[in-house]
């Protein structure tokens, strides 16, 4: 009976997380406004940033525990819109996309589709990013993409392996074997997938921490606010498109 | 109004497809039984194989047309079980998995988890695969994996690009721009994703055709029957696991 509530629990944790994103965006915007008027200190900004990182850490830890019980929904969650699912990488965004956001925001990415749109748009304190910071960001991006590729390859070979397992079971079945072998093989596959989700979450967390370390507190709040705005917009656009196509 | 039935149509086409798989498996099993008694000719087996390939071609063509209207559900279809979604590669199975199935069936894959299960199990005419055929299969597998990797990389860079587009729109919005830019950017992204789905389907189809060309008609019906059995089992196991975890 305990198992029947798995999906509800997973969807519920996600909904709470998205609500928290909305709330954190408000707090960030408030802090940015106060800071523009000289009404906040760097210490106060840093406290807000730490709180946000710690929320993210809590969320991924909760998710890791739930995924160990049942991994399959995380690779294509029904609680996301189709648009969000179509850009999903191992249960979330690509860690390298955090860094791409910095490039986009500080207009450094020459080939970006953004350049024409960004002209004349206020990009806050990220406009004042230094050469040293950009070098550190570049180095972080190289490292992140390398780690991302390793995880992508591990997922690919796990997907290939699963064919072996169930096939094995068919073979056993054909000669009169039982269904418990299927369950065991799929459980083992699930555990390996859950481990990769955990590592992907760790890479997301580590990348975020590194970015925060490179940026000043003022830049970091601008960055976090833009990231959360983008995340919430993706959900809104996805909902709109699902409605347009008769999905709910 | 036309758009509101998109999801129902997509799910319906898929359901018909899975029912056809069941029907084709019966026809294949019947042909295999008749052939064992010497009651079918190679020409009759070839006709059945051609019919099955042509069904697959029809299905992918229908899918390509529907995906051009709305691509997003194909990368994580709600009409599949969580288990099936977790092993999905660009809207279907990895083309290389067809070849892996041959290796598994003819016991050639030394490192396979299958070896212990396959011992003593009837593997039909694929047990009599020749050295020349295995070389051709190996060559096909190398080619297929290379093409698969190219498509995987294109998907990865498209996923990275989408961040640019919506972000662009946010920037525009922030300075008073409109929502139509978001729609255009996402539509363009959707078209690129639909094109990749089409190419992935073509690669699946080409790989299957090559395999049929390499195998004798008797081997080909054994291969197709095993593939369809595996596909249908994946759906059954997925349904069972979804029920166990309170999903429906």
């Amino acid at each position: 009976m305990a198992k029947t509530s798995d999906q509800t629990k997973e969807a519920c944790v996600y909904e709470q997380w998205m609500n928290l994103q909305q709330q954190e965006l408000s707090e960030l915007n408030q802090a940015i406004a106060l800071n523009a008027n000289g009404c906040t200190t760097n210490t106060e900004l840093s406290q807000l940033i730490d709180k946000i990182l710690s929320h993210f850490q809590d969320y991924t830890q909760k998710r890791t525990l739930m995924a160990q019980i049942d991994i399959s929904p995380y690779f294509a969650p029904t609680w996301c819109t189709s648009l969000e699912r179509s850009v999903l990488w191992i249960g979330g965004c690509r860690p390298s996309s955090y860094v791409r956001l910095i490039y986009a925001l500080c207009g450094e990415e020459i080939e970006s589709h953004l350049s024409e749109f960004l002209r004349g748009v206020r990009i806050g304190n990220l406009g004042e990013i230094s050469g040293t910071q950009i070098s550190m960001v570049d180095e972080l991006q190289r490292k992140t993409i390398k780690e991302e590729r390793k995880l992508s390859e591990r997922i690919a070979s796990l997907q290939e392996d699963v064919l072996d397992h169930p096939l094995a079971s068919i073979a056993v079945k054909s000669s009169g074997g039982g269904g418990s072998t299927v369950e065991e093989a799929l459980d083992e596959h699930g555990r390996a997938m859950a481990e990769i989700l955990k590592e992907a979450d760790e890479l997301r967390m580590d990348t975020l921490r590194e970015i925060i370390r490179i940026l000043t507190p003022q830049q970091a709040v601008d960055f976090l606010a833009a990231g959360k705005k983008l995340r919430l917009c993706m959900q809104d656009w996805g909902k709109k498109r699902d409605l347009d196509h008769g999905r709910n």
Side-chain angles (χ1 to χ4, degrees), chain A residues 34-48:
Chain A
L34 285 172
N35 190 250
N37 298 326
C39 303
T40 46
T41 62
N42 274 358
T43 313
E44 283 167 320
L45 293 183
S46 294
Q47 278 166 352
L48 176 58

Side-chain angles (χ1 to χ4, degrees), chain A residues 83-237:
Chain A
L83 175 67
E84 291 165 285
R85 278 198 295 271
S86 77
V87 296
L88 213 66
W89 178 85
I90 316 187
C93 65
R94 288 179 178 269
S96 62
S97 67
Y98 296 141
V99 183
R100 287 174 72 92
L101 183 60
I102 301 181
Y103 288 137
L105 289 170
C106 66
E108 276 291 317
E109 199 172 33
I110 309 301
E111 293 185 82
S112 165
H113 300 273
L114 280 174
S115 46
E116 56 177 306
F117 296 108
L118 279 172
R119 229 176 288 140
V121 173
R122 201 196 88 89
I123 49 166
N125 299 297
L126 279 157
E128 290 151 26
I129 201 162
S130 74
T132 318
Q133 285 178 311
I134 280 292
S135 308
M136 290 166 87
V137 167
D138 288 344
E139 179 53 34
L140 175 62
Q141 185 67 328
R142 267 191 295 276
K143 206 178 78 181
T144 307
I145 287 175
K146 212 171 130 190
E147 293 302 317
E148 233 178 64
R149 287 208 181 133
K150 273 190 212 163
L151 285 173
S152 294
E153 276 164 30
R154 277 175 54 199
I155 279 287
S157 68
L158 260 184
Q159 285 194 331
E160 286 161 11
D161 282 350
V162 80
L163 191 76
D164 279 357
H165 288 298
L167 187 69
S169 327
I170 295 179
V172 168
K173 269 198 200 161
S174 307
S175 62
S180 69
T181 321
V182 180
E183 289 301 315
E184 278 166 32
L186 292 177
D187 283 346
E188 189 193 316
H189 180 255
R191 278 190 294 273
M193 297 281 269
E195 175 58 30
I196 293 190
L197 176 67
K198 183 170 161 264
E199 288 180 39
D201 274 345
E202 280 165 2
L203 184 58
R204 281 184 272 262
M205 192 74 222
D206 289 347
T207 310
L208 209 49
R209 279 193 205 287
E210 279 294 305
I211 289 173
I212 301 301
R213 215 176 48 82
I214 295 170
L215 301 179
T216 66
Q218 282 102 330
Q219 291 168 338
V221 287
D222 279 353
F223 164 79
L224 287 172
K228 286 181 196 300
K229 191 173 175 188
L230 177 58
R231 183 65 196 84
L232 290 163
C233 280
M234 282 295 282
Q235 190 184 36
D236 282 349
W237 298 327

